[in-house]
Each structure stands twice: as structure tokens, then as C-alpha cells.
Amino acid sequence: MPTITACIVAYCDYEEVCAAVRSILKFTPAPDFTLYIVDNASPDGCGKQLAETDWADPRVQVLCLPENVGFGRGHNAVLGKLYSDVHFILNPDIVLFEDVLEPMAEWLLAQPGAAMATPQLCYPDGRLQHLPRRKPTPWLLLARQLAPRFGGVFQKADDYYTMRDADLAVPRRIEFCTGSFMAVRTDVLQKIGGFDPEYFMYVEDADLTQKVLREGTVWLAPQFGAIHAWHRAPMRDAGKFRMQLVSMGRYFKKWGWGKGNL
């Protein structure tokens, strides 16, 4: 089996992080596995609690950062420590319900030219999430925000963006791998320098996907699954929505405004 590592970047929500960590440890039997927990200077004391928690498992390493450096830079904090064949980038609201990481890493390495993959994620109530996406454009991201309220042409565009016209029950190549759950060949991740540190939050996963696509293919692997709470904060918080707009502007300036290739 390939060697694997994983990282969760935490910001508050100690109990949620603990639920994710315990599920990962329970369903990942590999003795040489390391799970890194990076706390982004949580103001509620989450980092201190995580560092003092007795995980009863030597495979957990907690790193508390002195300031909140954002999602991507938080994950980059462990980039130089990685020794694995495949590294997993996981959200703190991910919960495993079966042995996923090792089999998924083995599958990824068996695909010629593959560099990144994401599994099928579902809500806690079992509903499927439509997270595999085509390459973003300004219109598709706008439609993504407006479709729940207005439907119509916005919903049609969002359906296209989230690939609802494609068979997502079988493995297939995609252009946008969600940062909620990424499996990446570690050598590729280290070669490209991980996440672009200019993004504080939002769209950095689309940016990372584009960087990875220069090195290999990106896949949806729906034969593997996990639970994802998916809070979708930008839909409810004006400040975070503005932050998302800034990240979107940076993304399109860097990668262009056109359509994807699928």
C-alpha cells in the first residue's frame, strides 16, 4: 500500500475538528500514517485544546500557528514535512464512515498520469453533494450564488457548472477539485509549492486544481465516499462573500476568463 499523510486546518469549532480526527483515525489503520492538525490561531482556544488533547494515537501531530494565515497557507505549513506518496487535504467538517484514504491513494497512483482526486461527498442526512465542477468562469460563479434564489437561467448554468449533465456515478476527469477533500500525489504538491499563498480563503482550491492540471489529470472517484457538513458561509455572511469576490478576481486575473476543456 502507498504511504499516506493528511492535514486538517482548524479555526475554532473544537468539537467538529475532534469528530473529524477521530473518524479519520478510526478508519485509517495504516501505522505509518500521519494526520497533521494545523490550528490557525483560533481565538476561542481551539488550538490549545487540540494540542492538549490525548488522542491516544501517536500518528496525530498538532501545529498551532501564531496568526491566522488563511486556508491555503495553513495547509502549506506542513508541506516540508510530508514523506508520503499521497497527501490528503481535508476540511474539519469531514467525517469518514469507512476505510477510504489508503484505498483511494492506491487507486490514484494506479491511474496513469493522475495527480489528484476527490471522492463522492454527502450531507450528514445522506443527500449527495454536487461538488465536482467544470472550470469556473465569472458567469458560472455568479449563477452559483443566484440559482438558489432565482432559479431559471441561473439554475441551468449552475447545473452545467456542477456537471449534472454528466454521469458522476463512475470515475471521470474533472476541472475543479473541491478543497473539502483532495487526494494529491505528494511529489506533485511539493513540486508546485502547494496552495498559492496570495489567497486567504475561497477559490484557492480551484487555483490549486489548475496548477495540478499542469502536472497530470484530476479525477472524481465516486467509488469512495465521506460525509461533509458543508457550511457554505459565503451564502450567509456579507464579509465572507466580499472575501470570496476578492479571491475570484485574483483567480480570473491569473487563469483567464474563458471556459474549461471538458
Side-chain angles (χ1 to χ4, degrees):
M1 295 292 286
T3 56
I4 57 174
T5 52
C7 181
I8 292 173
V9 171
Y11 185 75
C12 303
D13 295 322
Y14 171 77
E15 294 298 335
E16 181 175 69
V17 177
C18 286
V21 171
R22 289 180 178 130
S23 76
I24 293 165
L25 296 176
K26 177 180 179 180
F27 291 108
T28 308
D32 55 355
F33 168 63
T34 299
L35 173 59
Y36 299 97
I37 310 172
V38 178
D39 182 73
N40 247 335
S42 297
D44 68 348
C46 177
K48 185 174 185 293
Q49 286 182 279
L50 291 169
E52 293 177 349
T53 298
D54 181 7
W55 299 105
D57 194 318
R59 299 177 300 169
V60 177
Q61 293 189 25
V62 179
L63 175 62
C64 295
L65 301 182
E67 62 178 318
N68 184 358
V69 297
F71 178 84
R73 289 177 65 190
H75 277 286
N76 287 353
V78 304
L79 197 57
K81 300 176 180 289
L82 303 182
Y83 58 85
S84 53
D85 298 309
V86 175
H87 179 64
F88 288 85
I89 295 164
L90 304 173
N91 265 14
D93 57 356
I94 288 289
V95 175
L96 301 188
F97 53 81
E98 60 184 354
D99 183 0
V100 168
L101 302 190
E102 273 193 301
M104 188 171 174
E106 187 174 29
W107 180 87
L108 176 66
L109 295 176
Q111 311 309 307
M116 175 189 279
T118 191
Q120 174 61 65
L121 300 179
C122 62
Y123 292 101
D125 64 6
R127 290 177 296 126
L128 296 183
Q129 295 179 3
H130 295 275
L131 286 173
R133 302 171 192 172
R134 292 183 164 95
K135 185 178 178 181
T137 68
W139 163 240
L140 292 177
L141 289 181
L142 175 64
R144 181 74 175 153
Q145 297 297 328
L146 298 180
R149 290 186 180 183
F150 301 107
V153 66
F154 301 112
Q155 187 62 58
K156 183 177 180 181
D158 188 51
D159 288 348
Y160 172 79
Y161 181 42
T162 54
M163 303 179 67
R164 297 192 188 215
D165 59 335
D167 182 2
L168 301 182
V170 297
R172 64 172 297 130
R173 291 174 59 176
I174 57 177
E175 295 177 319
F176 184 164
C177 187
T178 173
S180 305
F181 195 130
M182 292 174 158
V184 194
R185 276 179 38 202
T186 305
D187 60 340
V188 170
L189 188 64
Q190 291 175 327
K191 178 181 178 181
I192 65 177
F195 287 94
D196 184 337
E198 294 302 313
Y199 295 86
F200 183 81
M201 189 183 295
Y202 305 122
V203 197
E204 66 276 272
D205 49 358
D207 181 274
L208 185 69
T209 304
Q210 294 308 306
K211 290 167 67 177
V212 170
L213 282 168
R214 291 177 166 178
E215 308 296 330
T217 53
V218 175
W219 289 78
L220 167 68
Q223 67 270 41
F224 307 105
I227 296 169
H228 176 216
W230 201 12
H231 301 305
R232 299 193 72 181
M235 298 293 291
R236 305 188 305 271
D237 186 303
K240 290 181 178 179
F241 181 62
R242 286 193 296 271
M243 189 184 301
Q244 188 180 58
L245 291 177
V246 171
S247 292
M248 287 164 53
R250 178 172 288 112
Y251 174 88
F252 292 121
K253 182 178 180 180
K254 182 176 179 179
W255 297 106
W257 304 76
K259 294 182 179 181
N261 299 311
L262 292 183

